[in-house]
Amino acid sequence: MAVDSRSRTSRRTIVQMVVVGTLASIIGVLWGLYIDWFPVQGSTQARKIDDLWDLMIAFAVPVFVLVVTVVLFAVKEFRMRPGEENLDGPNIHGSTKLEIVWTTIPAVIIFILIGYAATILSDIEAAPANAAQELKVDVYGQQFAWTFKYTGADGKPINTTRLYLPEGQSVKFNVHSKDVIHDFWIPAMRMKIDAVPGVTTSYRITPIRVGSYPVVCAELCGLGHAVMRQTAYVMPPAKFNAWLASKSASAAAPAAGGGGSAAAAPAAIDAKAIFTKGNGESVACGSCHQLAAAGTPAGGIGPDLDKVLAGKDAAFIKTSIVDPQAEIAKGYPPNVMPPNFGQTLKPAEIDALVQYLVKSTRK
Ligand code: CUA
């Protein structure tokens, strides 16, 4: 009689488990698919990777629910009741049938996921049908900035700190490092790879959406790792080609740009905004440096400018911005400040920033 009531309980329990587990799985999968896990899909690769993620959710949630449901019901069903303190549990022998089932089902799931993941991997790494049309960009990681090298129409290299990409065209990045290991990542494009000294790594993307997207370093590479951020600009192919052509032209006639602009009215430039927010391309000074006039906080990575720049002249401040290694403030390690402010800031912006710092730190 005791055995009879036990087996009735356990049959009812199994029905309960199936109902609870099924409901929890459905809710969990729907919830997992509904959540916006990632940034916008900026490339064809992003779509495929997100599809793989969705498939993983559809399999992983039910497996998780199954394990948790069985554990919770087992705790409730087989808990020790008063009077059972000294009893051993029933003696259980193996169940071949059960073992076959719980080996086969996970194996099938794993093979489905491996098969699908392998297909996605070969898709996202595939070279375009017309390899000649693919844009090649060399990416250089350096503490703590990225530099991008294109080949101009005239075959000459074009170096820039802004990453420009044509919409709808396959781009192959060849990634290099000049010092330590970095990791080149554009989250909206989903792809990322380490930049390893002495090795060239690569991946390709096809941008599908005009806009600007953060470029970040995803490998802890030193004190300035957090500020190793730049921007990728995806533009219509015609506009991209015009930019590339203009760069080739200006490389041929360097006197046309830069030099004269220092004289252009610096009054129009909001130096405080550049200090606190950057100019859209440069890192904000205020994210590492304290400056009372700008209201940026103490305790940053870099020295307190109210102290280290007090009484310094414009020439010293300018050098500190464009060539930060020239003189390192006492107690601070070298090679932390990005070395690319001379490229990310326009000459007029640097001059405005220097004037602003001279004025702000004057005692
Ligand atoms: Cu470069 Cu982190």
Side-chain angles (χ1 to χ4, degrees):
M1 192 181 132
V3 171
D4 236 26
S5 90
R6 254 281 154 91
S7 87
R8 230 176 295 130
T9 321
S10 79
R11 211 168 299 137
R12 205 178 62 209
T13 307
I14 289 173
V15 172
Q16 282 176 352
M17 285 168 66
V18 169
V19 171
V20 170
T22 308
L23 280 178
S25 295
I26 292 171
I27 293 170
V29 170
L30 289 179
W31 193 23
L33 296 179
Y34 171 76
I35 294 173
D36 232 353
W37 298 96
F38 305 117
V40 293
Q41 295 176 331
S43 68
T44 52
Q45 284 77 4
R47 284 185 184 153
K48 289 172 184 154
I49 289 170
D50 293 5
D51 287 348
L52 176 62
W53 173 265
D54 287 346
L55 187 78
M56 304 275 260
I57 294 259
F59 278 104
V61 170
V63 169
F64 176 75
V65 167
L66 173 71
V67 171
V68 172
T69 308
V70 170
V71 167
L72 292 180
F73 272 87
V75 167
K76 174 174 166 282
E77 191 70 7
F78 303 114
R79 70 188 185 280
M80 188 187 69
R81 290 155 172 95
E84 293 180 345
E85 287 84 351
N86 295 321
L87 290 182
D88 280 339
N91 198 357
I92 296 172
H93 298 280
S95 163
T96 310
K97 212 189 338 179
L98 208 52
E99 284 183 22
I100 289 174
V101 169
W102 77 39
T103 306
T104 309
I105 294 177
V108 169
I109 292 177
I110 295 287
F111 278 111
I112 291 174
L113 291 179
I114 289 176
Y116 191 67
T119 314
I120 297 275
L121 184 66
S122 97
D123 273 7
I124 61 178
E125 290 185 339
N130 189 345
Q133 295 235 312
E134 189 171 58
L135 173 71
K136 294 196 176 56
V137 181
D138 282 292
V139 178
Y140 294 88
Q142 183 183 10
Q143 291 171 319
F144 294 96
W146 298 106
T147 313
F148 309 101
K149 191 175 97 188
Y150 298 77
T151 307
D154 48 8
K156 289 201 183 111
I158 296 166
N159 289 300
T160 164
T161 51
R162 285 181 174 225
L163 178 58
Y164 291 110
L165 301 170
E167 184 194 17
Q169 190 183 337
S170 180
V171 182
K172 185 175 183 188
F173 296 111
N174 287 314
V175 183
H176 319 264
S177 171
K178 293 182 178 175
D179 39 42
V180 300
I181 300 177
H182 303 273
D183 193 296
F184 178 59
W185 187 28
I186 312 171
M189 308 296 171
R190 304 293 187 276
M191 305 293 284
K192 69 200 262 291
I193 201 157
D194 275 3
V196 183
V199 178
T200 300
T201 53
S202 70
Y203 65 74
R204 44 170 57 94
I205 58 164
T206 303
I208 50 171
R209 202 187 260 265
V210 170
S212 57
Y213 307 94
V215 175
V216 303
C217 177
E219 179 67 49
L220 187 60
C221 54
L223 264 181
H225 163 69
V227 298
M228 195 165 165
R229 294 176 150 260
Q230 269 148 259
T231 308
Y233 300 88
V234 176
M235 35 204 206
K239 219 172 143 192
F240 173 82
N241 291 332
W243 168 77
L244 200 62
S246 79
K247 277 292 179 180
S248 310
S250 69
S261 57
I269 294 167
D270 185 352
K272 186 178 172 183
I274 293 177
F275 186 91
T276 54
K277 296 197 282 266
N279 69 349
E281 187 178 358
S282 70
V283 173
C285 318
S287 58
C288 295
H289 292 289
Q290 180 181 10
L291 182 70
T296 54
I301 300 169
D304 176 355
L305 298 183
D306 293 305
K307 287 193 188 123
V308 297
L309 296 187
K312 300 290 189 189
D313 62 9
F316 176 87
I317 296 176
K318 185 167 180 176
T319 305
S320 302
I321 295 171
V322 299
D323 182 14
Q325 305 313 316
E327 188 176 327
I328 299 296
K330 220 178 254 148
Y332 289 87
N335 299 313
V336 173
M337 184 161 153
N340 64 345
F341 284 102
Q343 291 88 54
T344 56
L345 294 171
K346 295 187 185 75
E349 290 174 333
I350 294 175
D351 290 339
L353 196 55
V354 169
Q355 291 313 315
Y356 171 73
L357 287 169
V358 169
K359 219 166 48 192
S360 305
T361 55
R362 194 179 289 150
K363 288 248 163 111

